[in-house]
Amino acid sequence: MEKTSVLAITKNGVKIGENLKKLFPDWSVFAPSKLTTEVTGITWYSEPTTEKIVELFKNNNALICIFSLGAVIRLIAPYLKDKKTDPAVIVIDDKTNFVISVLSGHIGGANELTEEIAEKLGALSVITTAADVNKTIAVDLVGREFNWKIDDDSTVTKISAHMVNEEPIGVFQEAGNRNWYKKLPKNVIIYEKMDDLKKSNSKANLIISDKLIEDEIINESVIYRPPSLVIGIGLHWDTTKETIREGIEFCLEKFKLSSKSIAKLVSIKKPEDVQGLIDLGKEMRIPVEYVNREDLAEISAPNPSETVKAFEGTASVSEAAAIKVSEGQLIVEKQKFPPNLTIAIARIMN
């Protein structure tokens, strides 16, 4: 966890907090000043615990409370928002018999952290989320380790219910890492073609794609967007951020591709980086990568240009850069936006 704090309010809790600090040195441990001892590594606070827990809840990715579950729930209840923003909350009893995942089990990582703490403390982990109890797929976690994004999370709860109830679930994947599962539950079937998925008796679907899907099937699906698209960009030193953005948006719409699957923006390495591309990368929160002209010249691109070669020292920039960085397949050949922009798109092949 990026930032984790432990809150202990009893003498035994302080001892447990001290132990956790040894096991997880980067964690912060807090306890009331009335319990102050010579133990190092603990921050002793003087304000009421009702105030301290609110501060820790708002400023941490995970909060470990070493006191009763009921008390924790009452204290944090007024500050709960949603599972995307609430921190992971875990409760440990005063005798370390149980480590309980309380809040943000999946997205917040509480379940995984609960298992880790319980193993190190020799305690019993308590996890109640249906997907974990039933040993099935946690729909909201699919592809998380590969940085997949859920296109629209409004269907997650409904599809998750179908999953844990062991109703027929169809899977169609055309992009992204294929090692996202170890063993599929018996109610989950993979279809190699979208048409086969549509014709199946699936109650719900998991679709992994970088393509826009304009079909009613999306109403019964969770669509995952893997970072599979590399946008190759040929440009001049004065090409603006707005021009590049408009070119990318035009290509994505024309070829029915999702902006949520853009992995990188790539171009030729110039003596000075183009400010418009720098600014767009920052605005879109997408990394920008540059390729030396010598490396681009070695790439066989479908639409080389003698004019580009005269100016850049290589016959292709947008196509060659996309192919080079993706190490995959060019799916959108060079699109021209005179006088100072070309766009090409390649798909990373996992």
Side-chain angles (χ1 to χ4, degrees):
M1 283 291 177
E2 188 175 336
K3 188 177 181 184
T4 300
S5 288
V6 178
L7 179 60
I9 62 173
T10 66
K11 290 182 178 179
N12 279 341
V14 170
K15 292 177 182 178
I16 297 167
E18 182 184 4
N19 191 15
L20 286 172
K21 181 69 175 177
K22 292 176 182 176
L23 295 169
F24 303 92
D26 293 335
W27 291 6
S28 299
V29 180
F30 297 85
S33 55
K34 65 182 181 181
L35 300 176
T36 300
T37 67
E38 296 180 357
V39 173
T40 58
I42 293 180
T43 300
W44 308 99
Y45 62 87
S46 56
E47 64 265 48
T49 295
T50 52
E51 295 178 11
K52 193 65 182 178
I53 195 171
V54 174
E55 173 196 328
L56 298 178
F57 183 84
K58 292 181 177 180
N59 297 317
N60 284 274
N61 302 108
L63 176 60
I64 320 296
C65 297
I66 312 176
F67 51 100
S68 85
L69 175 59
V72 172
I73 291 173
R74 283 192 293 272
L75 289 171
I76 67 173
Y79 309 100
L80 301 180
K81 293 182 180 179
D82 59 65
K83 62 182 181 180
K84 297 178 190 174
T85 56
D86 291 335
V89 176
I90 295 169
V91 168
I92 303 175
D93 69 276
D94 209 47
K95 294 293 185 180
T96 62
N97 292 314
F98 304 102
V99 181
I100 308 169
S101 176
V102 177
L103 190 67
S104 297
H106 284 159
I107 295 178
N111 291 354
E112 184 177 355
L113 187 56
T114 293
E115 296 279 14
E116 184 179 1
I117 295 171
E119 182 179 355
K120 291 189 175 183
L121 292 180
L124 181 66
S125 63
V126 179
I127 296 172
T128 59
T129 44
D132 297 273
V133 172
N134 290 284
K135 303 298 181 184
T136 191
I137 294 174
V139 170
D140 52 352
L141 291 187
V142 169
R144 187 180 185 188
E145 67 268 40
F146 304 117
N147 296 316
W148 295 2
K149 299 174 182 176
I150 293 178
D151 196 52
D152 178 2
D153 62 7
S154 65
T155 59
V156 167
T157 300
K158 176 172 63 174
I159 307 309
S160 295
H162 288 304
M163 183 70 75
V164 299
N165 287 328
E166 298 186 337
E167 296 182 78
I169 305 293
V171 175
F172 173 70
Q173 179 173 7
E174 57 184 342
N177 196 304
R178 294 184 179 270
N179 296 318
W180 57 270
Y181 62 88
K182 294 180 181 178
K183 184 179 180 181
L184 289 176
K186 61 183 180 181
N187 62 310
V188 178
I189 298 175
I190 294 178
Y191 295 91
E192 297 299 324
K193 298 178 181 179
M194 177 66 85
D195 286 342
D196 293 337
L197 179 68
K198 292 178 182 179
K199 295 174 184 176
S200 72
N201 67 338
S202 301
K203 290 288 187 181
N205 312 289
L206 309 182
I207 299 175
I208 303 132
S209 174
D210 52 25
K211 295 180 182 179
L212 297 180
I213 301 170
E214 298 172 344
D215 191 286
E216 61 182 17
I217 195 172
I218 65 175
N219 298 323
E220 301 301 327
S221 304
V222 176
I223 300 174
Y224 304 91
R225 301 301 188 189
S228 54
L229 301 178
V230 174
I231 312 291
I233 302 170
L235 71 176
H236 294 181
W237 66 270
D238 60 348
T239 306
T240 65
K241 174 185 69 175
E242 290 74 22
T243 297
I244 304 169
R245 186 198 300 110
E246 289 172 4
I248 291 174
E249 289 176 350
F250 176 87
C251 291
L252 293 174
E253 183 176 354
K254 179 180 179 180
F255 294 95
K256 304 300 181 183
L257 297 168
S258 173
S259 61
K260 293 179 181 178
S261 281
I262 300 175
K264 289 181 180 180
L265 307 178
V266 299
S267 189
I268 189 171
K269 179 63 179 176
K270 294 177 178 287
E272 186 174 341
D273 295 339
V274 177
Q275 191 62 46
L277 184 54
I278 294 172
D279 292 343
L280 183 62
K282 290 179 180 177
E283 184 177 289
M284 296 180 71
R285 297 183 179 179
I286 296 173
V288 177
E289 184 173 328
Y290 302 97
V291 185
N292 293 326
R293 69 186 72 245
E294 296 81 8
D295 294 326
L296 293 178
E298 296 177 354
I299 300 297
S300 177
N303 298 288
S305 167
E306 289 301 319
T307 302
V308 172
K309 187 174 182 179
F311 280 97
E312 300 288 11
T314 176
S316 175
V317 173
S318 58
E319 291 181 337
I323 294 169
K324 174 70 176 179
V325 173
S326 70
E327 298 182 341
Q329 176 184 358
L330 193 68
I331 60 173
V332 174
E333 293 189 5
K334 179 171 62 178
Q335 305 292 300
K336 298 179 181 179
F337 302 90
N340 58 2
L341 179 69
T342 61
I343 301 286
I345 305 176
R347 177 180 289 129
I348 298 169
M349 306 301 288
N350 293 105

